[in-house]
Amino acid sequence: MCPLGWLGVASLCLGTLWAVPAEKRTKVEKPKAELTLYENLDLGNYEVTLDNYGDILDLSNYEELYDYGDLVPKIEVGTLAPRPKDPKALPELGETTAGTPKPQPPSGAGPVTPAPIPEQGLHSCQLCLCLGTSVYCDDTELEQIPALPPDTAYLYARFNRISAVHAADFSGLEKLERIDLSSNSISWVDTDAFRRLPRLQELLLPENHLQALPELPHSLVRLDVRHNRIASAGLRPEAFRDLKQLQFLHLSDNQLDFIPVPLPESLRSLHLQNNNIRTMHEDTFCDRQEQGQIRRALEDIRLDGNPINLSLFASAFSCLPRLPTGRFS
């Protein structure tokens, strides 16, 4: 009876053991694998090199320590999400993610045309390129200044056929800082075309057909009218005296007979090469009444290409830090 009793008890224990799911048995055994893997590691003092890397860390059982069965399948970049089985789950084409319906063209209608630009003086953007406060109209065969947006600060209309500049072209554009009309056919500019622009700093009109300069705003820093037909009679008396911020005055390749004076103290660069200047006044650059004067700002003076002999007027530029460029013989 005893042997049979013990045999029954043993069968009952074995049956209970095999009744445990295989997954649970695996999880119970995993801690043993972890202890076996790391029990011989001395983490207090070791150095990992290419020679002992395999001895220090055995990665042969690495996958046994983790169960990847519960990870979410990865989605390959560039693939489309699976289409839902229920077609009603798809959003309507006329609805956005916020639920606001998009306007749909009428059935049978042709291509949808973009909405017109509001009438705010933006007509130039149809012919030019408007980026922020800059308007680019280069080489677009313009024959006149286009209507500009009211916030225009920089205008580039080079290489066109513009022949005249009128006061109405820039009316109300008080934010203009730069006007570049290089390489056009401008022969006429209204007297007050630029005078009412309080922020204008750069006025570039080279390679045109100008014979006279209009009134200039006091904010001007750079004036470039090279390669025109401006004679001395085309300059207003003391045209640059009140331009207290003017630093660059480029009048080369014109028809000037004398240097326009007085020149503001702020001037740094004066280009008058290739004109008809033959003489110079003693007070052209230096004040005879002020002894020891040094005009340090004016360092760049170009008078080459003129029929003047600078050596005859040495006292006229004795206060300058550098001699003008020109003929001294």
Side-chain angles (χ1 to χ4, degrees), residues 49-104:
T49 64
L50 294 177
D51 297 330
N52 63 4
Y53 183 81
D55 299 332
I56 294 176
L57 186 61
D58 183 13
L59 300 179
S60 59
N61 296 325
Y62 182 78
E63 294 183 358
E64 296 180 4
L65 301 178
Y66 297 89
D67 184 10
Y68 295 93
D70 296 332
L71 293 180
V72 179
K74 296 182 179 179
I75 300 177
E76 183 180 355
V77 177
T79 59
L80 296 176
R83 185 179 181 88
K85 296 181 180 180
D86 186 7
K88 295 182 179 180
L90 291 175
E92 296 294 334
L93 294 178
E95 296 181 359
T96 62
T97 55
T100 304
K102 294 183 178 179
Q104 297 293 328

Side-chain angles (χ1 to χ4, degrees), residues 212-228:
L213 283 182
E215 294 186 22
L216 302 171
H218 295 172
S219 58
L220 208 59
V221 175
R222 179 185 177 190
L223 175 63
D224 187 351
V225 286
R226 296 172 292 118
H227 293 278
N228 277 277

Side-chain angles (χ1 to χ4, degrees), residues 113-125:
T113 57
I117 300 176
E119 295 292 336
Q120 296 180 353
L122 300 180
H123 307 287
S124 64
C125 295

